[in-house]
Coordinates of all heavy atoms in Angstrom, one line a residue:
M1297 N 15.8 -21.0 -4.1 CA 15.3 -20.0 -3.2 C 16.5 -19.3 -2.6 O 17.6 -19.8 -2.3 CB 14.6 -20.7 -2.1 CG 14.0 -19.7 -1.1 SD 12.9 -20.5 0.2 CE 11.6 -21.2 -0.8
A1298 N 16.4 -17.9 -2.5 CA 17.5 -17.1 -2.0 C 17.4 -17.0 -0.5 O 16.3 -17.0 0.1 CB 17.4 -15.7 -2.6
K1299 N 18.5 -16.9 0.1 CA 18.6 -16.7 1.6 C 18.9 -15.2 1.8 O 19.8 -14.6 1.2 CB 19.6 -17.6 2.2 CG 19.7 -17.4 3.7 CD 20.6 -18.5 4.3 CE 20.6 -18.2 5.8 NZ 20.9 -19.4 6.6
M1300 N 18.2 -14.6 2.8 CA 18.4 -13.2 3.1 C 18.4 -13.1 4.6 O 17.6 -13.7 5.3 CB 17.2 -12.4 2.5 CG 17.3 -11.0 2.7 SD 15.9 -10.1 2.0 CE 16.4 -10.1 0.3
T1301 N 19.3 -12.3 5.1 CA 19.3 -12.0 6.5 C 18.9 -10.5 6.7 O 19.4 -9.6 6.0 CB 20.8 -12.2 7.1 OG1 21.2 -13.5 6.8 CG2 20.9 -11.9 8.5
I1302 N 18.0 -10.3 7.7 CA 17.6 -8.9 8.0 C 17.7 -8.6 9.4 O 17.7 -9.5 10.3 CB 16.1 -8.7 7.5 CG1 15.1 -9.6 8.3 CG2 15.9 -8.9 6.0 CD1 13.7 -9.2 8.2
S1303 N 17.8 -7.4 9.7 CA 17.8 -6.9 11.1 C 16.6 -6.0 11.4 O 16.3 -5.2 10.5 CB 19.1 -6.1 11.4 OG 20.2 -6.9 11.2
L1304 N 15.9 -6.2 12.5 CA 14.7 -5.5 12.8 C 14.9 -4.8 14.2 O 15.5 -5.5 15.1 CB 13.5 -6.3 12.8 CG 13.0 -7.0 11.6 CD1 11.9 -8.0 11.8 CD2 12.6 -5.9 10.6
P1305 N 14.3 -3.7 14.4 CA 14.3 -3.2 15.8 C 13.6 -4.1 16.7 O 12.7 -4.9 16.2 CB 13.5 -1.8 15.7 CG 13.6 -1.5 14.2 CD 13.7 -2.8 13.5
D1306 N 13.9 -4.1 18.0 CA 13.3 -5.1 18.9 C 11.8 -5.1 18.8 O 11.2 -6.2 18.8 CB 13.7 -4.8 20.3 CG 15.2 -5.1 20.5 OD1 15.8 -5.9 19.8 OD2 15.8 -4.6 21.5
H1307 N 11.1 -3.9 18.8 CA 9.7 -3.9 18.8 C 9.1 -4.6 17.5 O 8.0 -5.2 17.6 CB 9.1 -2.5 19.0 CG 9.3 -1.6 17.8 ND1 10.5 -1.0 17.5 CD2 8.4 -1.2 16.9 CE1 10.3 -0.2 16.4 NE2 9.1 -0.4 16.0
L1308 N 9.8 -4.5 16.4 CA 9.3 -5.2 15.2 C 9.5 -6.7 15.2 O 8.7 -7.5 14.8 CB 9.9 -4.5 13.9 CG 9.5 -3.1 13.6 CD1 10.2 -2.6 12.4 CD2 8.0 -3.0 13.5
A1309 N 10.7 -7.0 15.8 CA 11.0 -8.5 15.9 C 10.0 -9.1 16.9 O 9.6 -10.2 16.6 CB 12.4 -8.6 16.4
D1310 N 9.6 -8.4 17.9 CA 8.6 -8.9 18.8 C 7.3 -9.1 18.2 O 6.6 -10.1 18.4 CB 8.5 -8.0 20.1 CG 9.7 -8.0 21.0 OD1 10.5 -8.9 20.9 OD2 9.8 -7.0 21.8
Y1311 N 6.9 -8.1 17.3 CA 5.7 -8.2 16.6 C 5.7 -9.4 15.7 O 4.7 -10.2 15.6 CB 5.4 -6.9 15.8 CG 4.2 -7.0 15.0 CD1 3.0 -6.7 15.6 CD2 4.2 -7.3 13.6 CE1 1.8 -6.8 14.9 CE2 3.0 -7.3 12.9 CZ 1.8 -7.1 13.5 OH 0.6 -7.2 12.8
V1312 N 6.8 -9.6 14.9 CA 6.8 -10.8 14.1 C 6.7 -12.1 14.9 O 6.0 -13.0 14.5 CB 8.2 -10.8 13.2 CG1 8.4 -12.1 12.5 CG2 8.2 -9.6 12.3
A1313 N 7.4 -12.1 16.0 CA 7.3 -13.3 16.9 C 5.9 -13.6 17.4 O 5.4 -14.7 17.4 CB 8.3 -13.2 18.1
R1314 N 5.2 -12.5 17.7 CA 3.8 -12.7 18.1 C 2.9 -13.2 17.0 O 2.0 -14.0 17.2 CB 3.2 -11.3 18.7 CG 3.8 -11.0 20.1 CD 3.0 -9.8 20.7 NE 2.8 -8.7 19.9 CZ 3.7 -7.6 19.8 NH1 4.9 -7.7 20.5 NH2 3.5 -6.6 19.0
R1315 N 3.1 -12.7 15.8 CA 2.3 -13.1 14.6 C 2.6 -14.6 14.4 O 1.7 -15.4 14.1 CB 2.7 -12.3 13.4 CG 2.3 -10.8 13.5 CD 0.8 -10.6 13.7 NE 0.2 -10.8 12.4 CZ -1.1 -11.3 12.3 NH1 -1.8 -11.6 13.3 NH2 -1.5 -11.5 11.1
V1316 N 3.8 -15.0 14.5 CA 4.1 -16.5 14.3 C 3.5 -17.3 15.5 O 2.9 -18.3 15.2 CB 5.7 -16.7 14.2 CG1 6.0 -18.2 14.2 CG2 6.2 -16.0 13.0
A1317 N 3.6 -16.8 16.7 CA 3.1 -17.5 17.8 C 1.5 -17.6 17.8 O 1.0 -18.5 18.3 CB 3.5 -16.8 19.1
S1318 N 0.9 -16.7 17.0 CA -0.6 -16.8 16.9 C -1.0 -18.0 16.2 O -2.2 -18.4 16.2 CB -1.1 -15.5 16.2 OG -0.8 -15.6 14.8
G1319 N -0.1 -18.7 15.5 CA -0.4 -19.9 14.8 C -0.8 -19.7 13.3 O -0.9 -20.7 12.6
R1320 N -0.9 -18.5 12.9 CA -1.3 -18.2 11.5 C -0.1 -18.5 10.5 O -0.3 -18.9 9.4 CB -1.8 -16.8 11.3 CG -2.2 -16.5 9.9 CD -2.9 -15.2 9.7 NE -3.1 -15.1 8.2 CZ -3.6 -14.0 7.7 NH1 -4.0 -13.0 8.5 NH2 -3.7 -13.9 6.4
Y1321 N 1.1 -18.3 11.0 CA 2.3 -18.5 10.2 C 3.2 -19.5 10.8 O 3.3 -19.6 12.0 CB 3.0 -17.1 10.1 CG 2.2 -16.0 9.6 CD1 1.6 -15.1 10.4 CD2 2.0 -15.9 8.2 CE1 0.8 -14.1 9.9 CE2 1.2 -14.9 7.7 CZ 0.6 -14.0 8.6 OH -0.2 -13.0 8.0
D1322 N 3.8 -20.3 9.9 CA 4.7 -21.4 10.4 C 6.0 -20.8 10.9 O 6.7 -21.5 11.8 CB 5.0 -22.4 9.3 CG 3.7 -23.1 8.8 OD1 2.8 -23.3 9.7 OD2 3.7 -23.5 7.7
S1323 N 6.4 -19.7 10.4 CA 7.7 -19.1 10.7 C 7.8 -17.6 10.4 O 6.9 -17.1 9.7 CB 8.8 -19.8 9.9 OG 8.7 -19.6 8.6
A1324 N 8.8 -17.0 10.8 CA 9.0 -15.6 10.5 C 9.2 -15.5 9.0 O 8.7 -14.5 8.4 CB 10.2 -15.0 11.2
D1325 N 9.8 -16.4 8.4 CA 10.0 -16.4 6.9 C 8.7 -16.4 6.2 O 8.5 -15.6 5.2 CB 10.8 -17.7 6.5 CG 12.2 -17.7 6.9 OD1 12.7 -16.7 7.4 OD2 12.8 -18.8 6.8
T1326 N 7.7 -17.2 6.6 CA 6.4 -17.3 6.0 C 5.7 -15.9 6.2 O 5.1 -15.4 5.2 CB 5.6 -18.4 6.6 OG1 6.3 -19.6 6.6 CG2 4.2 -18.5 6.0
F1327 N 5.8 -15.4 7.4 CA 5.1 -14.1 7.6 C 5.7 -13.0 6.8 O 5.0 -12.2 6.1 CB 5.3 -13.7 9.1 CG 4.7 -12.4 9.5 CD1 3.4 -12.1 9.4 CD2 5.6 -11.3 9.8 CE1 2.9 -10.8 9.7 CE2 5.1 -10.1 10.1 CZ 3.7 -9.8 10.1
L1328 N 7.0 -12.9 6.7 CA 7.6 -11.8 5.9 C 7.4 -12.0 4.4 O 7.2 -11.1 3.7 CB 9.1 -11.8 6.2 CG 9.4 -11.3 7.7 CD1 10.9 -11.4 8.0 CD2 9.0 -9.9 7.9
A1329 N 7.4 -13.3 4.0 CA 7.1 -13.6 2.6 C 5.7 -13.1 2.2 O 5.5 -12.5 1.1 CB 7.3 -15.0 2.3
E1330 N 4.8 -13.3 3.1 CA 3.4 -12.9 2.8 C 3.3 -11.3 2.7 O 2.6 -10.8 1.9 CB 2.4 -13.4 3.9 CG 1.0 -13.0 3.5 CD 0.0 -13.6 4.5 OE1 0.0 -14.8 4.7 OE2 -0.9 -12.9 5.0
L1331 N 4.1 -10.7 3.6 CA 4.1 -9.2 3.6 C 4.7 -8.7 2.3 O 4.1 -7.7 1.7 CB 5.0 -8.7 4.7 CG 4.4 -8.7 6.1 CD1 5.4 -8.2 7.2 CD2 3.1 -8.0 6.2
V1332 N 5.7 -9.3 1.8 CA 6.3 -8.9 0.5 C 5.3 -9.1 -0.6 O 5.2 -8.3 -1.5 CB 7.6 -9.7 0.3 CG1 8.1 -9.4 -1.2 CG2 8.7 -9.3 1.3
L1333 N 4.6 -10.3 -0.6 CA 3.6 -10.5 -1.7 C 2.5 -9.5 -1.6 O 2.0 -9.0 -2.7 CB 3.1 -12.0 -1.5 CG 4.0 -13.1 -1.9 CD1 3.5 -14.4 -1.5 CD2 4.4 -13.0 -3.4
K1334 N 2.0 -9.2 -0.4 CA 1.0 -8.2 -0.3 C 1.5 -6.8 -0.8 O 0.7 -6.1 -1.5 CB 0.5 -8.1 1.1 CG -0.4 -9.2 1.6 CD -0.8 -9.0 3.0 CE -1.7 -10.2 3.5 NZ -2.1 -10.0 4.9
D1335 N 2.7 -6.5 -0.5 CA 3.3 -5.2 -1.0 C 3.3 -5.2 -2.5 O 3.0 -4.2 -3.1 CB 4.7 -5.0 -0.4 CG 5.2 -3.7 -0.8 OD1 4.7 -2.6 -0.3 OD2 6.2 -3.7 -1.6
Q1336 N 3.7 -6.3 -3.1 CA 3.8 -6.4 -4.6 C 2.4 -6.2 -5.2 O 2.2 -5.5 -6.1 CB 4.3 -7.8 -5.0 CG 5.8 -7.9 -4.9 CD 6.3 -9.3 -5.3 OE1 5.5 -10.3 -5.2 NE2 7.5 -9.4 -5.8
D1337 N 1.4 -6.9 -4.6 CA 0.0 -6.7 -5.1 C -0.5 -5.3 -4.9 O -1.1 -4.8 -5.8 CB -0.9 -7.7 -4.3 CG -0.7 -9.1 -4.7 OD1 -0.1 -9.4 -5.7 OD2 -1.2 -10.0 -3.9
H1338 N -0.2 -4.7 -3.8 CA -0.6 -3.3 -3.5 C 0.1 -2.4 -4.5 O -0.6 -1.5 -5.0 CB -0.3 -3.0 -2.1 CG -0.7 -1.6 -1.7 ND1 -2.0 -1.3 -1.5 CD2 0.0 -0.5 -1.5 CE1 -2.1 0.0 -1.2 NE2 -0.9 0.5 -1.2
R1339 N 1.3 -2.6 -4.7 CA 2.1 -1.7 -5.6 C 1.6 -1.8 -7.1 O 1.4 -0.9 -7.7 CB 3.6 -2.1 -5.6 CG 4.4 -1.4 -6.6 CD 5.2 -0.4 -5.9 NE 6.1 0.2 -6.9 CZ 6.3 1.5 -7.1 NH1 5.7 2.3 -6.3 NH2 7.1 1.9 -8.0
K1340 N 1.3 -3.1 -7.5 CA 0.7 -3.3 -8.8 C -0.6 -2.6 -9.0 O -0.9 -1.9 -9.9 CB 0.6 -4.7 -9.2 CG 0.1 -5.0 -10.6 CD 0.0 -6.5 -10.8 CE -0.4 -6.8 -12.2 NZ -1.3 -6.0 -12.9
L1341 N -1.4 -2.7 -7.9 CA -2.7 -2.1 -7.9 C -2.6 -0.6 -8.0 O -3.3 0.1 -8.8 CB -3.5 -2.5 -6.7 CG -4.9 -1.9 -6.5 CD1 -5.8 -2.4 -7.7 CD2 -5.5 -2.3 -5.2
D1342 N -1.7 0.0 -7.3 CA -1.4 1.4 -7.3 C -1.0 1.9 -8.7 O -1.5 2.9 -9.2 CB -0.3 1.8 -6.3 CG -0.8 1.7 -4.9 OD1 -2.0 1.7 -4.6 OD2 0.1 1.8 -4.0
D1343 N -0.1 1.1 -9.3 CA 0.3 1.5 -10.7 C -0.8 1.4 -11.7 O -1.0 2.3 -12.5 CB 1.5 0.5 -11.1 CG 2.8 0.8 -10.4 OD1 2.9 1.8 -9.7 OD2 3.7 -0.1 -10.5
D1344 N -1.6 0.3 -11.6 CA -2.7 0.2 -12.5 C -3.8 1.3 -12.3 O -4.3 1.9 -13.3 CB -3.4 -1.2 -12.4 CG -2.5 -2.3 -12.9 OD1 -1.6 -2.1 -13.6 OD2 -2.8 -3.5 -12.5
E1345 N -4.0 1.6 -11.0 CA -5.0 2.7 -10.7 C -4.5 4.0 -11.2 O -5.3 4.8 -11.8 CB -5.3 2.7 -9.2 CG -6.1 1.6 -8.7 CD -6.3 1.6 -7.2 OE1 -5.5 2.3 -6.5 OE2 -7.3 1.0 -6.8
L1346 N -3.2 4.3 -11.0 CA -2.6 5.5 -11.5 C -2.7 5.7 -13.0 O -3.1 6.7 -13.5 CB -1.2 5.6 -11.0 CG -0.5 6.9 -11.4 CD1 -1.2 8.1 -10.8 CD2 0.9 6.9 -10.8
R1347 N -2.5 4.6 -13.7 CA -2.6 4.6 -15.2 C -4.0 5.0 -15.6 O -4.3 5.8 -16.5 CB -2.1 3.3 -15.8 CG -0.7 3.2 -15.9 CD -0.3 1.9 -16.6 NE 1.1 1.6 -16.4 CZ 1.6 0.8 -15.4 NH1 0.8 0.2 -14.6 NH2 2.9 0.6 -15.3
D1348 N -5.0 4.3 -14.9 CA -6.4 4.6 -15.2 C -6.8 6.0 -14.9 O -7.5 6.6 -15.7 CB -7.3 3.6 -14.4 CG -7.3 2.2 -15.0 OD1 -6.8 2.0 -16.1 OD2 -7.7 1.3 -14.2
I1349 N -6.3 6.5 -13.8 CA -6.6 7.9 -13.4 C -6.0 8.9 -14.4 O -6.7 9.8 -14.9 CB -6.1 8.2 -12.0 CG1 -6.9 7.5 -11.0 CG2 -6.1 9.7 -11.7 CD1 -6.3 7.4 -9.6
L1350 N -4.8 8.6 -14.8 CA -4.2 9.5 -15.8 C -4.9 9.5 -17.2 O -5.1 10.5 -17.8 CB -2.7 9.1 -16.0 CG -1.8 9.5 -14.8 CD1 -0.4 8.9 -15.0 CD2 -1.7 11.0 -14.6
R1351 N -5.3 8.3 -17.6 CA -6.0 8.1 -18.8 C -7.3 8.9 -18.8 O -7.7 9.6 -19.7 CB -6.3 6.6 -19.1 CG -7.0 6.4 -20.5 CD -7.3 4.9 -20.7 NE -8.0 4.3 -19.6 CZ -9.3 4.5 -19.2 NH1 -10.1 5.3 -19.9 NH2 -9.8 3.8 -18.2
L1352 N -8.1 8.7 -17.7 CA -9.4 9.4 -17.5 C -9.2 10.9 -17.5 O -10.0 11.7 -18.0 CB -10.1 8.9 -16.3 CG -10.6 7.5 -16.3 CD1 -11.1 7.1 -14.9 CD2 -11.7 7.4 -17.3
A1353 N -8.1 11.3 -16.8 CA -7.8 12.8 -16.7 C -7.6 13.4 -18.1 O -8.1 14.4 -18.4 CB -6.7 13.0 -15.8
E1354 N -6.8 12.7 -18.9 CA -6.5 13.1 -20.2 C -7.7 13.2 -21.1 O -7.9 14.1 -21.9 CB -5.4 12.2 -20.9 CG -4.0 12.4 -20.3 CD -3.0 11.5 -20.9 OE1 -3.4 10.5 -21.6 OE2 -1.8 11.7 -20.7
E1355 N -8.6 12.2 -20.9 CA -9.8 12.2 -21.7 C -10.8 13.2 -21.3 O -11.7 13.6 -22.1 CB -10.5 10.8 -21.6 CG -9.6 9.7 -22.3 CD -10.2 8.3 -22.0 OE1 -11.2 8.1 -21.2 OE2 -9.6 7.3 -22.5
S1356 N -10.8 13.7 -20.0 CA -11.8 14.6 -19.5 C -11.6 16.0 -19.9 O -12.5 16.9 -19.8 CB -11.8 14.5 -18.0 OG -10.7 15.2 -17.4
G1357 N -10.4 16.4 -20.4 CA -10.1 17.7 -20.9 C -9.7 18.7 -19.7 O -9.4 18.2 -18.6
V1358 N -9.8 19.9 -20.0 CA -9.4 21.0 -19.0 C -10.5 21.2 -18.0 O -11.7 21.3 -18.3 CB -9.1 22.3 -19.7 CG1 -8.7 23.4 -18.7 CG2 -8.0 22.1 -20.7
S1359 N -10.1 21.2 -16.7 CA -11.1 21.4 -15.6 C -11.2 22.9 -15.3 O -10.3 23.6 -15.4 CB -10.6 20.6 -14.4 OG -11.4 20.9 -13.3
D1360 N -12.4 23.2 -14.8 CA -12.6 24.6 -14.3 C -12.5 24.6 -12.8 O -12.7 25.7 -12.2 CB -14.0 25.1 -14.8 CG -15.2 24.2 -14.3 OD1 -14.9 23.1 -13.7 OD2 -16.3 24.7 -14.5
R1361 N -12.2 23.5 -12.2 CA -12.0 23.5 -10.7 C -10.6 24.1 -10.3 O -9.7 24.0 -11.1 CB -12.1 22.1 -10.2 CG -13.5 21.5 -10.4 CD -13.6 20.1 -9.8 NE -12.4 19.3 -9.8 CZ -12.3 18.1 -9.2 NH1 -13.3 17.6 -8.5 NH2 -11.2 17.4 -9.2
R1362 N -10.6 24.6 -9.2 CA -9.3 25.2 -8.7 C -8.4 24.1 -8.1 O -8.9 23.2 -7.5 CB -9.6 26.3 -7.6 CG -10.4 27.5 -8.2 CD -10.7 28.5 -7.1 NE -10.7 27.9 -5.7 CZ -10.1 28.5 -4.7 NH1 -9.7 29.7 -4.8 NH2 -10.1 27.9 -3.5
I1363 N -7.1 24.3 -8.2 CA -6.2 23.3 -7.7 C -6.4 23.0 -6.2 O -6.4 21.9 -5.7 CB -4.7 23.6 -8.0 CG1 -4.5 23.5 -9.5 CG2 -3.7 22.8 -7.2 CD1 -3.2 23.9 -10.0
P1364 N -6.5 24.1 -5.3 CA -6.7 23.8 -3.9 C -8.0 22.9 -3.6 O -7.9 22.1 -2.7 CB -6.9 25.2 -3.3 CG -6.1 26.1 -4.2 CD -6.4 25.5 -5.6
D1365 N -9.0 23.1 -4.4 CA -10.2 22.3 -4.2 C -10.0 20.9 -4.6 O -10.5 20.0 -3.9 CB -11.4 22.9 -5.0 CG -11.8 24.3 -4.5 OD1 -11.6 24.6 -3.4 OD2 -12.3 25.1 -5.4
I1366 N -9.3 20.7 -5.7 CA -8.9 19.3 -6.1 C -8.1 18.6 -5.1 O -8.3 17.5 -4.8 CB -8.2 19.4 -7.5 CG1 -9.2 19.9 -8.6 CG2 -7.7 18.0 -7.9 CD1 -8.5 20.2 -9.9
L1367 N -7.1 19.3 -4.5 CA -6.2 18.7 -3.5 C -7.0 18.3 -2.3 O -6.8 17.3 -1.7 CB -5.1 19.7 -3.2 CG -4.0 19.9 -4.3 CD1 -3.0 20.9 -3.9 CD2 -3.3 18.6 -4.5
M1368 N -7.9 19.2 -1.8 CA -8.7 18.9 -0.6 C -9.6 17.7 -0.9 O -9.7 16.8 0.0 CB -9.6 20.1 -0.2 CG -8.8 21.2 0.5 SD -9.7 22.7 1.0 CE -11.4 22.2 1.1
E1369 N -10.2 17.6 -2.0 CA -11.1 16.5 -2.4 C -10.3 15.2 -2.4 O -10.7 14.2 -1.9 CB -11.7 16.7 -3.7 CG -12.7 15.6 -4.1 CD -13.2 15.9 -5.5 OE1 -13.5 17.0 -5.9 OE2 -13.4 14.9 -6.3
T1370 N -9.1 15.3 -3.0 CA -8.2 14.1 -3.1 C -7.8 13.6 -1.8 O -7.8 12.4 -1.5 CB -7.0 14.4 -4.0 OG1 -7.5 14.8 -5.3 CG2 -6.2 13.1 -4.2
K1371 N -7.4 14.5 -0.9 CA -6.9 14.2 0.4 C -8.0 13.5 1.2 O -7.8 12.6 1.9 CB -6.4 15.4 1.2 CG -5.0 15.9 0.7 CD -4.6 17.1 1.4 CE -3.2 17.6 0.8 NZ -2.8 18.8 1.5
A1372 N -9.2 14.1 1.1 CA -10.4 13.5 1.8 C -10.7 12.1 1.3 O -11.0 11.2 2.1 CB -11.6 14.4 1.6
K1373 N -10.6 11.8 0.0 CA -10.8 10.5 -0.6 C -9.7 9.5 0.0 O -10.0 8.4 0.3 CB -10.8 10.5 -2.1 CG -12.0 11.1 -2.7 CD -11.9 11.1 -4.2 CE -13.1 11.7 -4.9 NZ -13.0 11.7 -6.4
L1374 N -8.5 10.0 0.0 CA -7.4 9.1 0.5 C -7.6 8.8 2.0 O -7.4 7.6 2.4 CB -6.0 9.8 0.3 CG -5.5 9.8 -1.1 CD1 -4.3 10.7 -1.2 CD2 -5.3 8.4 -1.7
R1375 N -8.0 9.8 2.8 CA -8.3 9.5 4.2 C -9.4 8.5 4.4 O -9.3 7.6 5.2 CB -8.6 10.8 4.9 CG -7.5 11.6 5.4 CD -7.9 12.7 6.4 NE -8.9 13.6 5.8 CZ -8.7 14.7 5.1 NH1 -7.4 15.0 4.9 NH2 -9.7 15.4 4.7
D1376 N -10.4 8.6 3.6 CA -11.6 7.7 3.7 C -11.2 6.3 3.2 O -11.7 5.3 3.8 CB -12.7 8.2 2.8 CG -13.4 9.5 3.3 OD1 -13.1 9.9 4.5 OD2 -14.1 10.2 2.6
S1377 N -10.4 6.2 2.3 CA -10.0 4.9 1.7 C -9.0 4.1 2.7 O -8.9 2.9 2.6 CB -9.5 4.9 0.3 OG -8.2 5.6 0.3
Y1378 N -8.3 4.8 3.6 CA -7.4 4.2 4.4 C -7.9 4.1 5.9 O -7.1 3.8 6.8 CB -6.0 4.9 4.4 CG -5.3 4.7 3.1 CD1 -5.2 5.7 2.1 CD2 -4.8 3.4 2.8 CE1 -4.6 5.4 0.9 CE2 -4.1 3.2 1.6 CZ -4.0 4.2 0.7 OH -3.4 4.0 -0.5
L1379 N -9.1 4.3 6.1 CA -9.7 4.2 7.5 C -10.0 2.8 7.8 O -10.1 1.8 7.2 CB -10.9 5.0 7.6 CG -10.7 6.5 7.6 CD1 -12.0 7.2 7.8 CD2 -9.8 6.9 8.7

C-alpha cells in the first residue's frame, strides 16, 4: 500500500472530519479511498457511455437537425441527469 500526504483547504478538511465523525467511515483514509473508487467508476462509465454514443452517432448517418438545437437538447439532458 502506498502512503500519500495531501493538503486540503480548511473547509474541505472540516468536511472530511464531519464525514468520519458521522460514523460511516473509520478514517479520512477510508473516506478518501471511497471517493477515488467512485471517481474511477464514474470515469469508466463516462468512457463507456461516450464510446456507445459515438458508435450510435456513426451508425445513424447525417442529421438534418441544426447544431444549436442539438446543443440545447444535450445541455437540457445533462442538467436533468445531474439534478
Side-chain angles (χ1 to χ4, degrees):
M1297 183 174 299
K1299 181 173 178 153
M1300 181 180 281
T1301 302
I1302 64 168
S1303 298
L1304 295 173
D1306 290 340
H1307 71 282
L1308 293 179
D1310 292 342
Y1311 179 79
V1312 171
R1314 286 193 308 273
R1315 296 297 286 149
V1316 172
S1318 75
R1320 179 170 177 185
Y1321 303 97
D1322 295 332
S1323 66
D1325 293 348
T1326 306
F1327 175 68
L1328 293 171
E1330 184 173 311
L1331 286 179
V1332 171
L1333 289 171
K1334 285 181 180 179
D1335 183 69
Q1336 285 178 331
D1337 288 344
H1338 182 74
R1339 174 105 175 133
K1340 182 179 182 330
L1341 181 62
D1342 288 345
D1343 291 347
D1344 290 345
E1345 285 176 341
L1346 182 56
R1347 281 187 195 91
D1348 288 342
I1349 289 168
L1350 290 172
R1351 181 185 51 76
L1352 290 171
E1354 288 176 348
E1355 292 172 357
S1356 71
V1358 178
S1359 175
D1360 59 351
R1361 297 184 327 171
R1362 297 174 342 135
I1363 290 176
D1365 297 333
I1366 295 170
L1367 290 173
M1368 283 181 18
E1369 180 183 325
T1370 302
K1371 287 178 183 178
K1373 286 180 183 178
L1374 288 172
R1375 273 193 305 272
D1376 291 346
S1377 67
Y1378 288 108
L1379 291 180

